Amino acid sequence: MYKARKFPRNDSLSGWVGLLPARQPRPALNDNINADVAIIGAGFAGLSAARRLSQLDPTLRIAILEAGVVGEGATGRNSGFVIDLPHEVSSQDFGDTSNERARRDITLYRTAIALATDMAGQYGWGREILDPCGRYSVAISHKGDTHINTYARQLQGLGEAHEILDAKGIQAVTGSALYTSGLYMPGTLMVQPAAYIRAVADSFQAPVTLYENSAVKSFEKQAGSWLLKTAKGAVQAGRIILANNGHAQSFGLFRGQLLHVFTYASMSEPFDPKRLAGKRDWAATPALPMGTTVRRVSGADGDRLLIRSRYSYHAGLEINEGHVRSAGRIHDIKFAARFPGLLNVKMQYRWGGPMALTLNSVPAFGEIEPGLFAACACNGLGASKSTAAGIAAAEAAMGLNSPMVEIFRGYEAPKNLPPQPFLSIGAKANLSVREWRAGAE
């Protein structure tokens, strides 16, 4: 039996959720049901798996079990970049990825983008949910400029479209005079993550059923099928897809292999768009890993800016308001440096969200035992990687040896982490060094 030792808990309100009307959750599971496939987790991975399963066999009975309310967990705390080109949080340098690895990653990411784009077209979602606007990488130092040029040369070698912008060019986009250069990549989708995941969840119809506020307490193999239990119900299913990222460890899986890191964001109150020049909707990742992500979002009540920076390790999979406030103080400094003309604009929302990393930056993926499939450990870039993992897990669960399944099966297994207390000491020191290297970026 796999028994949950703890359940997801979110203290702070994500700005993406705060901008939406309150959700009326789907009913919780309160009965005993049968399903062909049970999916644990209704985030990027879980809902993408459900979508792909339905494409492969529209008659499949699929039960999606979400511990909380859709959009309020890790997915709704994402910054919304569904990227198509490799850029890993864990990498030292944009240019350290071989062409073979880069092309593999591009295949994964563009398959994820195709799934999202197909749904947007089918259901008529507007740009307020999914915007194919591309992204920028931005620098504020000579070191950052060097990284951008290095990465641009790699993209040129791969034959990928891009555009380098000088200081004046990137200022015309962002309205900030701090940036010294930029690199535009047109293939990234930007989503309002909470709105997107709600829209995906609400697109399903029978025989796919979503149960919210239905945390899985345990699951076990019984007579050739799986029995999953929640507080008030149970599911008998032939297959399980585990799509709860770091919380797979709460069931005792991947023990000693998942590193739990939180990243933090702040979102401003709305301001008059005339106060900041440049485009009204743009998104920028930092030239240096562990730097500062910035996103401008337009709205009927004005524009907002999102600042994402700061990383911290938490083995217990939880943070508190003190951690959020501490990161927020850093965000305020970053915001003031980039947008000095908006000094009286306050932050309305602050939050943190979890990532599950592995020591060798590979997913926790595959068939753990007959009928039990995992699509966990996104290693950052959750919108792209988790979506891709969900697609591949669905195909694997259906017995397909697809290109996506082959790529995921080609990864080596996650390496074991050092024992405590060396793990905590090393993880915290490593994050501090990486943030120090990123400097003002």
Side-chain angles (χ1 to χ4, degrees):
M1 176 183 288
Y2 296 93
K3 189 173 182 179
R5 294 175 294 172
K6 68 187 315 176
F7 302 99
R9 194 184 83 182
N10 302 298
D11 292 328
S12 53
L13 175 67
S14 162
W16 300 117
V17 175
L19 295 180
L20 298 175
R23 177 172 175 78
Q24 182 63 44
R26 297 285 183 93
L29 179 65
N30 59 8
D31 201 353
N32 297 336
I33 65 169
N34 294 307
D36 297 304
V37 183
I39 298 174
I40 302 177
F44 287 120
L47 295 188
S48 298
R51 170 75 176 184
R52 185 65 182 129
L53 287 169
S54 294
Q55 290 176 331
L56 293 169
D57 184 352
T59 68
L60 278 178
R61 297 168 300 167
I62 302 169
I64 309 168
L65 303 165
E66 167 57 35
V69 175
V70 166
E72 295 185 6
T75 296
R77 294 163 183 276
N78 190 280
S79 292
F81 290 73
V82 192
I83 70 163
D84 68 326
L85 297 172
H87 163 38
E88 294 184 0
V89 171
S90 55
S91 68
Q92 289 288 339
D93 187 331
F94 281 118
D96 71 352
T97 305
S98 69
N99 280 3
E100 181 180 351
R101 179 177 175 179
R103 293 190 189 283
R104 177 202 68 194
D105 289 348
I106 289 169
T107 297
L108 295 181
Y109 302 159
R110 288 188 174 154
T111 302
I113 285 172
L115 186 89
T117 303
D118 286 347
M119 284 189 286
Q122 179 179 350
Y123 299 111
W125 299 341
R127 287 178 178 263
E128 73 282 359
I129 294 178
L130 185 150
D131 188 355
C133 61
R135 72 175 169 107
Y136 297 86
S137 179
V138 290
I140 64 172
S141 67
H142 174 70
K143 187 177 179 181
D145 295 336
T146 300
H147 277 246
I148 279 180
N149 289 324
T150 299
Y151 188 48
R153 287 195 296 271
Q154 186 190 16
L155 293 181
Q156 185 173 1
L158 291 168
E160 294 293 339
H162 64 281
E163 178 187 358
I164 295 180
L165 295 86
D166 60 14
K168 185 177 294 185
I170 195 63
Q171 182 177 0
V173 173
T174 65
S176 174
L178 185 68
Y179 295 123
T180 52
S181 66
L183 177 68
Y184 176 63
M185 294 152 284
T188 292
L189 298 181
M190 296 306 303
V191 298
Q192 204 284 35
Y196 170 82
I197 209 66
R198 283 188 185 185
V200 177
D202 292 339
S203 71
F204 293 114
Q205 298 178 351
V208 180
T209 309
L210 167 66
Y211 300 94
E212 298 181 60
N213 294 312
S214 299
V216 175
K217 299 175 68 176
S218 67
F219 57 90
E220 60 181 316
K221 200 71 174 282
Q222 285 190 348
S225 64
W226 290 92
L227 178 65
L228 303 89
K229 294 183 178 179
T230 66
K232 297 182 179 180
V235 182
Q236 196 85 37
R239 286 153 285 179
I240 295 176
I241 294 179
L242 197 65
N244 57 348
N245 211 14
H247 271 280
Q249 203 166 60
S250 299
F251 289 100
L253 294 163
F254 307 111
R255 186 172 295 165
Q257 295 177 331
L258 302 184
L259 191 69
H260 305 293
V261 173
F262 282 73
T263 185
Y264 301 86
S266 295
M267 181 182 285
S268 76
E269 62 189 6
F271 60 87
D272 185 341
K274 295 178 182 178
R275 295 187 59 186
L276 182 63
K279 296 183 177 181
R280 291 191 63 191
D281 287 280
W282 54 268
T285 51
L288 300 182
M290 309 293 284
T292 306
T293 293
V294 182
R295 183 174 173 184
R296 183 173 177 177
V297 182
S298 65
D301 57 349
D303 290 6
R304 296 173 185 266
L305 283 159
L306 175 141
I307 302 287
R308 191 188 74 180
S309 184
R310 186 76 178 92
Y311 297 82
S312 61
Y313 165 73
H314 298 274
L317 276 166
E318 291 181 3
I319 57 174
N320 57 42
E321 287 298 329
H323 297 117
V324 176
R325 285 194 300 269
S326 176
R329 289 191 286 270
I330 296 173
H331 295 165
D332 291 345
I333 294 170
K334 306 280 190 181
F335 182 82
R338 287 159 177 75
F339 307 105
L342 300 176
L343 289 182
N344 65 334
V345 174
K346 306 301 181 185
M347 292 297 172
Q348 184 174 355
Y349 301 103
R350 300 191 194 273
W351 68 93
M355 300 185 294
L357 313 179
T358 59
L359 190 62
N360 47 338
S361 300
V362 298
F365 177 89
E367 193 168 11
I368 299 169
E369 59 176 284
L372 176 60
F373 299 84
C376 302
C378 62
N379 287 281
L381 306 182
S384 301
K385 289 185 175 181
S386 293
T387 297
I391 294 169
E395 293 175 347
M398 296 296 287
L400 300 181
N401 191 30
S402 67
M404 291 287 283
V405 172
E406 287 184 356
I407 289 174
F408 273 92
R409 285 179 177 163
Y411 288 107
E412 61 182 348
K415 291 182 178 179
N416 290 328
L417 296 165
Q420 295 288 7
F422 304 105
L423 174 58
S424 291
I425 295 170
K428 291 175 182 179
N430 185 276
L431 289 173
S432 295
V433 168
R434 288 172 184 255
E435 288 187 326
W436 173 78
R437 285 177 178 167
E441 295 280 355

